[in-house]
Amino acid sequence: MTRQVNINGLTIGGNAPVRVESMLKTRLNDREECISQCENLLNAGCELARVAFPDKKFFDDLKFLTANTKLTLMADIHFDPKLALLAMEAGCRSIRINPGNMNLNALNDVIDTAKNLGVVIRIGANGGSISQAQLDQAHGDRSKALFIAVREQADLLLARNFENVILSAKSSDVIECINANKMIAENYPDFPVHIGLTEAGYGDSGIVKGAACISNLLLQGIGNTLRVSLTEEPEREIKIGYEILKALNLRTRGVNLISCPTCGRRRTDVKKLVKIVEPLLKFMPDGISVAVMGCEVNGPKEARHAQFGIAGTPKGAMLFKSGEAVGEYEFDELAKVLPEFLEIKNYKGA
């Protein structure tokens, strides 16, 4: 188990759950849009969001944002140590920096300020920032070069007795990313690790690549906070992040919807059934399983572990709870009877 860091009450590492994070995809000077996106992310379940802070001219905007959102923020900074100091002055209690890009005097100032304010520093490298020297040292092994880049940064902070750290190694290559993170976990087992595939892509391709990388690491016990980096709205990243954790039985946000892929045995249109059921799920407690099946074969028998289930029949659909039949209804009756069947309290419509 890693040590635990604390960002404004948000714990990462140790016995804390794997956190789900994203990044604001708006510019800081668009204050209204930034606040709106923070609210949307909070509603989606986001626990930490990085925000790009590329220029001191955005200082007042960053200060405004930290003061007007409940979402925990991490200022994302490249190259300029003065920006790291300004971000902390603006109220950010976590920053992301590359210590290797800072001269030692400036780095000392950043570390001293972070110590005084209790700021968490995330450090790390990605596949695009590997130097030729690091590649040469790794004899061309890009995963090892990525780890070496992280090690160089970590050692700069640890040599200055700063341990309020999150480590990260990210790449757009699944295998490269997995292997680099394994090296981090083996060499720095005490420190929480942020995982994710950088620049995963768009749509199904990006989701599959991100899930393949993140799931592999989580199953090895590696990863304390994650981001599914997609060329999509940030709320989508949060949704997929929780779906990954739910599939691995690591977290239970939302309802676990089970539905069969359908075949020639199906008695009804499963996709239509899912579309009737899905809007109701947001009114149900986290961790509940709801099964939507096409026939009696995939119905109560294969889905008896689900607290609630629906199986297609020649008449319409049979409803069952924990494998026990409750009643059979025509298709047109389902929208009316499902809220009561699903035990949704005080339901007033989706």
Side-chain angles (χ1 to χ4, degrees):
M1 184 181 295
T2 72
R3 67 180 65 213
Q4 191 172 86
V5 299
N6 189 310
I7 308 170
N8 284 344
L10 176 71
T11 54
I12 297 173
N15 60 358
V18 179
R19 302 299 185 180
V20 180
E21 62 179 85
S22 184
M23 188 168 186
L24 295 193
K25 304 194 179 188
T26 53
R27 297 185 187 276
L28 267 172
N29 58 340
D30 190 343
R31 294 186 176 187
E32 185 176 337
E33 183 61 25
C34 282
I35 292 294
S36 175
Q37 197 160 91
C38 284
E39 288 301 307
N40 290 339
L41 282 168
L42 276 170
N43 291 335
C46 182
E47 294 164 300
L48 175 66
R50 275 189 295 143
V51 53
F53 183 43
D55 193 292
K56 65 182 180 181
K57 69 182 180 182
F58 298 120
F59 171 77
D60 288 339
D61 300 308
L62 181 60
K63 189 174 182 179
F64 172 84
L65 186 61
T66 59
N68 288 280
T69 182
K70 295 180 181 179
L71 181 61
T72 303
L73 300 177
M74 174 182 285
D76 194 80
I77 293 151
H78 289 270
F79 305 115
D80 191 347
K82 293 179 182 177
L83 292 176
L85 295 171
L86 285 173
M88 291 186 280
E89 184 182 339
C92 281
R93 291 300 171 258
S94 61
I95 57 175
R96 189 264 195 181
I97 63 171
N98 181 344
N101 290 334
M102 300 179 178
N103 70 59
L104 296 185
N105 287 334
L107 179 60
N108 287 335
D109 290 342
V110 171
I111 289 174
D112 289 343
T113 303
K115 283 182 178 178
N116 291 336
L117 296 175
V119 169
V120 173
I121 298 180
R122 178 181 140 189
I123 58 174
N126 61 47
S129 64
I130 297 172
S131 70
Q132 189 58 50
Q134 291 158 348
L135 267 174
D136 291 342
Q137 188 178 347
H139 304 290
D141 182 335
R142 290 188 59 85
S143 293
K144 188 172 182 180
L146 190 53
F147 163 71
I148 289 170
V150 176
R151 183 180 66 191
E152 290 174 356
Q153 296 179 32
D155 289 351
L156 283 171
L157 294 187
L158 298 181
R160 288 160 177 76
N161 297 313
F162 187 86
E163 297 182 337
N164 209 20
V165 171
I166 298 172
L167 302 178
S168 175
K170 302 178 82 170
S171 168
S172 57
D173 182 276
V174 172
I175 304 303
E176 183 179 305
C177 193
I178 290 171
N179 289 337
N181 277 279
K182 286 170 63 178
M183 293 179 203
I184 289 176
E186 290 166 1
N187 288 272
Y188 295 96
D190 291 340
F191 293 93
V193 177
H194 168 77
I195 60 173
L197 195 72
T198 190
E199 301 148 0
Y202 172 78
D204 293 347
S205 174
I207 291 170
V208 170
K209 286 190 291 183
C213 177
I214 291 168
S215 297
N216 185 294
L217 290 169
L218 290 174
L219 287 171
Q220 297 183 71
I222 301 169
N224 306 96
T225 174
L226 65 84
R227 180 190 176 194
V228 183
S229 299
L230 298 172
T231 313
E232 299 191 42
E233 293 303 308
E235 299 89 340
R236 182 69 170 153
E237 297 182 350
I238 300 304
K239 168 70 172 174
I240 300 304
Y242 277 110
E243 289 297 328
I244 291 170
L245 293 174
K246 190 160 57 177
L248 300 178
N249 293 325
L250 293 175
R251 294 192 71 172
T252 57
R253 180 180 174 84
V255 172
N256 180 30
L257 176 63
I258 303 162
S259 65
C260 73
T262 77
C263 69
R265 287 193 304 265
R266 66 182 174 86
R267 302 282 196 174
T268 191
D269 190 325
V270 177
K271 288 175 69 174
K272 283 186 177 180
L273 274 178
V274 169
K275 288 180 179 179
I276 294 173
V277 173
E278 196 169 31
L280 300 171
L281 303 184
K282 62 184 177 182
F283 299 103
M284 300 181 69
D286 292 347
I288 296 293
S289 290
V290 176
V292 180
M293 304 305 213
C295 71
E296 61 273 24
V297 174
N298 286 341
K301 295 180 181 179
E302 290 192 17
R304 65 172 57 252
H305 61 285
Q307 286 92 337
F308 302 94
I310 305 168
T313 68
K315 182 179 177 181
M318 179 181 68
L319 307 184
F320 58 93
K321 293 184 178 181
S322 301
E324 298 297 325
V326 171
E328 187 175 356
Y329 298 87
E330 293 184 4
F331 203 95
D332 293 341
E333 298 178 280
L334 291 175
K336 182 178 180 179
V337 302
L338 279 175
E340 182 178 353
F341 167 70
L342 297 171
E343 299 177 5
I344 299 172
K345 308 299 182 184
N346 302 317
Y347 180 72
K348 295 180 181 180

